[in-house]
Amino acid sequence: MKKEKPMGLLLNGSVRSAGVTFYLKQGQMIVRSSKTVAKRSNTRGQFVQRQRMRHTTALWQQMKGCHPMFDGGKSTYARFATLANRLPVVFVPCKGPLEGASFLMPDMPVSDGSLTPIKQQLGSVDGIAALLTNLTPDDIQRYEKLLLYTAEQRLEGHTPRVRFQRVREVAMDEFTEVDGHLALTGEEFADTMRGWALVRVRPSSTPGAERCSTQGLVTQCRLYEQYTTEEALQQAAKSYGGLTERL
């Protein structure tokens, strides 16, 4: 007896389309919704962590074009994220001009490596704004170079964003010696919407590779602080549907 072939679509297992699952059970086609009606959990702790990672990602998008140096970790980004996740958490709504915001803040990491870090702070020398360091002329080793990272907090439309203006090598004759220590002077260091980090770099034993010091930005910018408050947290959480009560 000839077996007739079934006509139409043969379903083996399940097929999901437009939120519906089709599958065969005992020769019959069963159709059911594949969408869950459960609300996504958004406890305070989960929301804080999601906002932290949102900002870390936003910062990296601005920094990665400057070829930052971060040793260790699974990747350059992974090491940056580990350090950046220690920064204060900023809370912004899920929609609107603040959705893609990034904020300049003190200690924002720009490098991570094995060389001795440079202690640096903003101050003045003879009434001129300056970036003060703990370096002495004798600290600078042969083949060592110093790179200056400069970042700026901008308001683009209604969206605050950090932009890295440039990374440049600083020549020794640009420094001023103050009480035996090196300083960079200039009115730019009085700008409260900018931040700087001086990074020391040396060739590595691996051909073509370099070692660097671990450094974070020094800045007087405080725009970010208004987005770290409890009020900012609650307003941002409300835009995501509110916080989930922990049972």
Side-chain angles (χ1 to χ4, degrees):
M1 180 175 179
K2 186 177 180 181
K3 198 179 224 180
E4 296 204 5
K5 295 182 180 180
M7 303 296 291
L9 178 65
L10 286 176
L11 298 178
N12 185 12
S14 66
V15 176
R16 293 173 182 265
S17 176
V20 177
T21 298
F22 301 84
Y23 64 97
L24 288 175
K25 184 177 181 181
Q26 297 179 350
Q28 292 186 339
M29 181 184 291
I30 307 297
V31 182
R32 71 179 182 185
S33 173
S34 62
K35 293 183 178 179
T36 178
V37 295
K39 183 180 179 181
R40 184 190 187 194
S41 178
N42 195 32
T43 66
R44 185 184 181 95
Q46 290 170 330
F47 181 68
V48 169
Q49 184 58 22
R50 287 166 184 158
Q51 288 283 288
R52 186 191 305 277
M53 288 306 300
R54 183 212 66 80
H55 190 237
T56 294
T57 301
L59 290 178
W60 179 250
Q61 291 302 315
Q62 303 303 327
M63 173 180 284
K64 65 181 181 180
C66 293
H67 307 292
M69 302 174 67
F70 290 91
D71 296 336
K74 294 181 179 180
S75 66
T76 302
Y77 169 72
R79 186 56 186 155
F80 167 78
T82 296
L83 298 173
N85 285 346
R86 302 171 186 172
L87 296 173
V89 184
V90 286
F91 302 101
V92 296
C94 67
K95 294 182 179 180
L98 291 176
E99 181 181 3
S102 56
F103 298 93
L104 177 61
M105 55 182 66
D107 298 322
M108 177 182 165
V110 298
S111 65
D112 179 60
S114 59
L115 299 185
T116 304
I118 302 171
K119 293 182 180 179
Q120 45 200 298
Q121 65 182 35
L122 296 171
S124 63
V125 175
D126 296 330
I128 302 175
L131 178 65
L132 308 173
T133 80
N134 68 334
L135 290 175
T136 69
D138 293 336
D139 289 331
I140 309 302
Q141 302 297 313
R142 188 181 180 187
Y143 305 122
E144 183 171 287
K145 61 183 177 181
L146 297 171
L147 299 181
L148 182 65
Y149 285 74
T150 302
E152 182 178 15
Q153 179 77 76
R154 296 180 182 175
L155 191 62
E156 300 177 355
H158 296 285
T159 305
R161 283 197 177 94
V162 177
R163 295 295 189 189
F164 276 82
Q165 296 179 304
R166 57 182 175 173
V167 180
R168 69 177 184 88
E169 185 173 350
V170 182
M172 286 301 297
D173 60 9
E174 294 184 59
F175 287 98
T176 298
E177 191 171 335
V178 182
D179 297 328
H181 295 91
L182 301 179
L184 290 172
T185 60
E187 290 306 322
E188 65 176 294
F189 297 112
D191 192 334
T192 59
M193 298 299 278
R194 290 186 186 180
W196 301 266
L198 194 64
V199 180
R200 62 196 314 170
V201 179
R202 293 180 195 167
S204 170
S205 57
T206 303
E210 293 180 315
R211 295 186 297 152
C212 66
S213 59
T214 299
Q215 306 294 163
L217 293 172
V218 291
T219 180
Q220 299 181 65
C221 185
R222 295 294 182 269
L223 177 66
Y224 74 94
E225 291 180 342
Q226 62 186 288
Y227 299 99
T228 63
T229 65
E230 178 66 23
E231 181 182 2
L233 185 155
Q234 294 297 335
Q235 288 181 349
K238 184 177 179 180
S239 74
Y240 284 86
L243 297 177
T244 303
E245 294 292 335
R246 184 179 292 278
L247 299 179

